[in-house]
Amino acid sequence: MSYPIKLDVNNMMDDIIGARGIPRSALEELIPALEEAHESVQGKRGTGMQGWMDLPTGQEDVVRDIEATAKAVRERFDAFVVLGIGGSALGPAAVHQALCHLHYNELPKEKRGGPRLYIEDNIDPERMAALLDVIDPATTCFNVITKSGGTAETMSQYLIVLDLLKKTVGEKYKEHIITTTSRTTGHLIKIAQREGYKTFYIPDGVGGRFSELSPVGLLAAAVCGIDIRGMLEGAAAMDARCLSGNVWENPALLQAGLMYIGMDRGASISVMMPYADSLKLMSDWYAQLWAESLGKNLTLSGQRVNLGQTPVKTLGVTDQHSQLQLYTEGPYDKILTFLKVENFRATTHIPHGVDDIPTIAFLGGKTHNQLIEAERQGTEYALYRAGRMSQTITLPEVNAHTVGQLLYFFMMATAYTGALMNIDTFNQPGVEESKVAAYAVMGFESEQHSAKREEMKNKPAGKDRYVLD
Ligand code: PA5
């Protein structure tokens, strides 16, 4: 069954929202560049760092292995813990939130079907301690995910878990660890081979933030009973829609064109506003994808540009009561993207009960389904009235197929936008400095880190007058 998601950009256009919208002529003028971007992205399919474009259809053996492993995990373990950060955690978390019960971990085991899921994407000591308070290592499976195979956050978690498992289950610790990493680079693969851990591979051409449809995301999803084949089918369906070089047929290309023009006209912020709790963490996943891919200081030809668009994560209707004031009356620097769900998987009826107060009585006999959509329409209308750009992506329902489509749509839109911007969409040199500095602070011994320690000592001293205590 197919459930095509829909992109409605009416409220991006100046003939709908007025002068602050995008003129259709601007999009027409961009067509040669869009065609070039399309050719560039499609032409590199499956090569370089575009291996993620092969994932929807090109990994049948891997999918079978994931399904078999997930079955065994579901039968044996009470908890499944993902140890990973960034692209190794945001996708699994977004998909779990979208496709599992919203209180999955609190459900009794027979209703859950699979183990409780914990995605540990930080090294806050209190969070680690809290995790260890609620799991029993003897009945827990740990999935250590790192593409580079050396990320300090993830590897420090691995060391803690390894020690714990050795103390609690002895030699059997190896049966409690599954690694997901690069087959060719990094240290985790060496450790995994030495220890004999069950290992899944992240293909070389699949970067962290483009890896959700690889074993990075598929294993945790399958362990929780998600239809991973449905997700891949959805992604493949979106891939087919994104093959067209015609901007009016290819939703990701249209999205890229409008975002690019929007940025050029001062929309430096992209607000993601799902009107569904199930899609709340899609905003987190999108934020990394959009920020890390497009926030770049150099073009491919070495020109300094400092481009990018800041993603903001919000939730409808919750953030109507928090940020909407800014969106309707603040600077004209935002594009809002609504994620709308046509059919929710539950209906909550609002009973009558206070019929003498009209402002409450009108709610009686309606549903939350009606109310949340009415509020979304209200927000969309308020933005329209204020002449602000917004667009709506409609999911007929949240299911494996539509989630696969959505993930792939955003990845394609990111790739096309990066091509339009003439930047390297798939690197992240800007995160290196902080990593080296942190290792230097931690006392890592290498020429580079010693030099960094010295350099950091030479930073001008802070002034007491700027510190309040
Ligand atoms: O998109 C990326 O490549 C990064 O955000 C990584 O996902 C993140 O830094 C984690 O890296 P790794 O999977 O190598 O541990």
Side-chain angles (χ1 to χ4, degrees):
M1 198 159 171
S2 127
Y3 306 84
I5 65 172
K6 190 167 73 187
L7 171 66
D8 180 343
V9 298
N10 267 287
N11 291 323
M12 294 288 288
M13 310 306 293
D14 74 343
D15 51 342
I16 303 290
I17 63 163
R20 298 279 185 170
I22 293 174
R24 196 181 159 110
S25 59
L27 201 56
E28 301 291 346
E29 279 162 29
L30 196 67
I31 281 180
L34 281 163
E35 284 171 356
E36 213 179 294
H38 176 262
E39 267 168 43
S40 160
V41 171
Q42 291 296 340
K44 293 186 195 133
R45 170 181 291 269
T47 67
M49 288 309 289
Q50 286 184 210
W52 53 274
M53 293 177 77
D54 285 341
L55 295 174
T57 53
Q59 46 173 352
E60 178 54 31
D61 289 351
V62 178
V63 169
R64 258 193 254 122
D65 191 5
I66 288 172
E67 285 171 336
T69 305
K71 184 168 178 288
V73 168
R74 285 161 71 78
E75 281 163 10
R76 174 165 175 193
F77 295 105
D78 288 336
F80 187 78
V81 177
V82 170
L83 304 177
I85 197 163
S88 295
L90 290 163
V95 165
H96 180 260
Q97 172 94 357
L99 296 175
C100 290
H101 190 284
L102 288 171
H103 292 291
Y104 174 87
N105 278 359
E106 281 98 271
L107 288 175
K109 190 167 184 193
E110 52 293 356
K111 284 205 175 157
R112 253 188 286 119
R116 285 174 290 136
L117 177 75
Y118 298 94
I119 298 178
E120 299 301 305
D121 65 347
N122 205 357
I123 42 168
D124 178 332
E126 291 180 20
R127 179 159 163 194
M128 196 71 199
L131 173 76
L132 301 183
D133 283 342
V134 296
I135 57 158
D136 173 1
T139 56
T140 301
C141 178
F142 298 89
N143 184 196
V144 187
I145 310 180
T146 163
K147 166 85 190 285
S148 62
T151 300
E153 294 87 342
T154 306
M155 294 315 290
S156 66
Q157 292 173 323
Y158 166 72
L159 291 172
I160 292 166
V161 160
L162 179 67
D163 181 59
L164 183 68
L165 282 170
K166 283 185 174 170
K167 285 179 182 147
T168 47
V169 299
E171 264 314 294
K172 285 197 164 136
Y173 72 91
K174 297 178 187 190
E175 298 167 19
H176 292 249
I177 295 175
I178 298 175
T179 51
T180 305
T181 189
S182 164
R183 190 192 288 271
T184 50
T185 55
H187 298 299
L188 186 58
I189 184 61
K190 293 179 212 148
I191 297 169
Q193 282 166 350
R194 194 173 66 202
E195 298 280 11
Y197 296 145
K198 172 70 188 163
T199 298
F200 288 96
Y201 301 108
I202 309 170
D204 286 345
V206 178
R209 55 194 178 273
F210 288 83
S211 68
E212 172 51 24
L213 298 171
S214 79
V216 168
L218 297 183
L219 179 61
V223 162
C224 295
I226 290 169
D227 170 16
I228 58 171
R229 285 180 188 275
M231 275 172 65
L232 293 171
E233 278 163 27
M238 180 53 71
D239 189 35
R241 290 175 70 184
C242 295
L243 284 176
S244 170
N246 180 338
V247 72
W248 297 111
E249 289 170 4
N250 178 337
L253 195 60
L254 177 61
Q255 173 71 170
L258 292 176
M259 291 307 242
Y260 179 78
I261 297 168
M263 276 187 244
D264 198 42
R265 294 162 63 92
S268 58
I269 298 173
S270 164
V271 179
M272 182 63 65
M273 197 163 191
Y275 271 72
D277 277 56
S278 62
L279 299 176
K280 182 178 177 184
L281 298 185
M282 277 293 160
S283 301
D284 287 50
W285 173 82
Y286 166 80
Q288 186 214 15
L289 181 71
W290 202 245
E292 219 167 58
S293 301
L294 304 182
K296 298 289 154 69
N297 63 3
L298 297 177
T299 64
L300 288 171
S301 43
Q303 193 194 347
R304 183 164 287 274
V305 281
N306 299 106
L307 291 175
Q309 196 182 41
T310 305
V312 171
K313 311 178 272 189
T314 64
L315 177 67
V317 301
T318 307
D319 285 306
Q320 285 177 213
H321 298 266
S322 157
Q323 300 181 40
L324 185 58
Q325 169 65 29
L326 172 72
Y327 299 162
T328 54
E329 294 191 2
Y332 288 87
D333 58 359
K334 299 171 196 68
I335 295 174
L336 263 95
T337 303
F338 296 112
L339 300 182
K340 167 184 164 181
V341 175
E342 238 156 26
N343 293 302
F344 285 83
R345 291 163 289 191
T347 303
T348 44
H349 295 275
I350 308 167
H352 290 277
V354 185
D355 287 342
D356 56 330
I357 304 175
T359 52
I360 298 175
F362 82 102
L363 296 167
K366 308 265 182 15
T367 63
H368 267 164
N369 309 52
Q370 289 170 295
L371 185 57
I372 194 168
E373 172 53 14
E375 298 226 25
R376 193 201 65 76
Q377 285 178 22
T379 302
E380 188 181 58
Y381 184 71
L383 289 166
Y384 154 80
R385 285 269 296 166
R388 311 295 167 135
M389 286 188 280
S390 76
Q391 55 184 353
T392 300
I393 299 172
T394 303
L395 286 74
E397 62 182 48
V398 179
N399 61 32
H401 200 277
T402 55
V403 165
Q405 290 179 61
L406 193 65
L407 293 165
Y408 201 83
F409 163 77
F410 281 126
M411 289 191 271
M412 284 303 299
T414 304
Y416 286 138
T417 309
L420 281 171
M421 292 162 72
N422 191 31
I423 54 163
D424 185 339
T425 310
F426 304 103
N427 67 0
Q428 52 281 330
V431 301
E432 211 36 48
E433 177 71 28
S434 121
K435 207 188 280 182
V436 175
Y439 279 36
V441 172
M442 281 294 277
F444 186 76
E445 284 311 333
S446 83
E447 218 173 288
Q448 183 195 23
H449 294 88
S450 305
K452 187 56 68 182
R453 259 191 298 279
E454 283 312 304
E455 184 192 305
M456 289 172 82
K457 275 190 213 150
N458 293 330
K459 176 178 178 281
K463 294 177 179 151
D464 285 347
R465 68 171 179 268
Y466 295 137
V467 181
L468 308 188
D469 54 13

